Amino acid sequence: LEELPPKPVQDTGNILKQGYLEKRSRDHGFFGSEWQKRWCVLNTQTFYYYASEKSKQPKGNFSIEHYSARLASHLRKDSRKKCCFELICPGKRTYEFTASSPAEAEDWVDQIQFLLKDLSSLTIPYDEEDEEELYNDVDSSDSVHTTSHNTTLNQNESNVEMEDDDIYEVMPGKQPNKQ
């Protein structure tokens, strides 16, 4: 039997962006910062990083909600300083990355900012034409359902009314209070 090769982790939901980045380690080494190559995956709520594209378990992940992303050329002094960006959240860990090119770093920042704007927005973007059709569909099916429900209810009520106009039970030896 031939074993199947491990698959890259794709179970992270809707992937918005993925690729190799260098991530600055949390524990800075004796000789300064250590940058490690990581396979990074951004979905609609979480940023994952793996040892490689084929890894089954992430090295780490964090919810990107409340984070902000920005280019950060101050992170490196070498020729790749324009490829750096960071994810910052007050009171939480700052994550620092280096992309393969300045354009790639910008793309990561743009994708994350777009997603953060979407997460913080209370409205969901929509196409006006689609909205109209959607509401017409919902209204028509909803009103059919409501009408049939009300009809059933009204029939039951009229049956009750025919039996007895008084909804209170009269206890033996007591008179109901008239108002």
Side-chain angles (χ1 to χ4, degrees), residues 9-160:
V9 179
Q10 301 296 335
D11 304 336
T12 54
N14 294 331
I15 296 172
L16 302 177
K17 185 152 181 70
Q18 61 185 344
Y20 278 105
L21 296 171
E22 286 183 29
K23 184 185 139 311
R24 192 181 220 169
S25 63
R26 187 193 318 226
D27 307 319
H28 303 307
F30 179 72
F31 297 108
S33 303
E34 285 189 38
W35 293 90
Q36 297 142 341
K37 190 175 180 180
R38 296 286 181 244
W39 179 255
C40 298
V41 178
L42 174 68
N43 78 4
T44 54
Q45 298 167 334
T46 309
F47 192 104
Y48 297 88
Y49 51 96
Y50 301 87
S52 80
E53 190 176 353
K54 296 184 181 352
S55 297
K56 292 195 181 265
Q57 291 295 316
K59 285 271 193 191
N61 65 67
F62 58 97
S63 168
I64 65 158
E65 197 172 9
H66 306 299
Y67 269 84
S68 62
R70 67 179 182 200
L71 294 172
S73 59
H74 67 276
L75 295 178
R76 293 178 83 134
K77 304 288 181 233
D78 62 11
S79 61
R80 301 196 54 210
K81 67 182 187 179
K82 291 186 186 244
C83 303
C84 297
F85 67 96
E86 58 188 357
L87 298 173
I88 303 161
C89 182
K92 292 188 179 180
R93 177 181 173 191
T94 295
Y95 291 88
E96 301 166 331
F97 297 96
T98 303
S100 57
S101 69
E104 187 66 11
E106 240 176 90
D107 192 43
W108 275 96
V109 169
D110 290 346
Q111 286 287 333
I112 293 166
Q113 285 176 337
F114 177 78
L115 179 59
L116 291 168
K117 184 178 159 201
D118 209 33
L119 283 174
S120 67
S121 171
L122 294 175
T123 58
I124 298 171
Y126 62 88
D127 183 6
E128 286 182 26
E129 291 174 19
D130 291 345
E131 180 209 9
E132 208 171 289
E133 291 173 25
L134 178 67
Y135 282 122
N136 285 343
D137 290 347
V138 169
D139 286 342
S140 62
S141 67
D142 200 27
S143 58
V144 167
H145 178 70
T146 307
T147 305
S148 66
H149 180 69
N150 286 345
T151 305
T152 307
L153 218 87
N154 290 341
Q155 287 171 348
N156 290 345
E157 286 173 6
S158 59
N159 289 346
V160 168

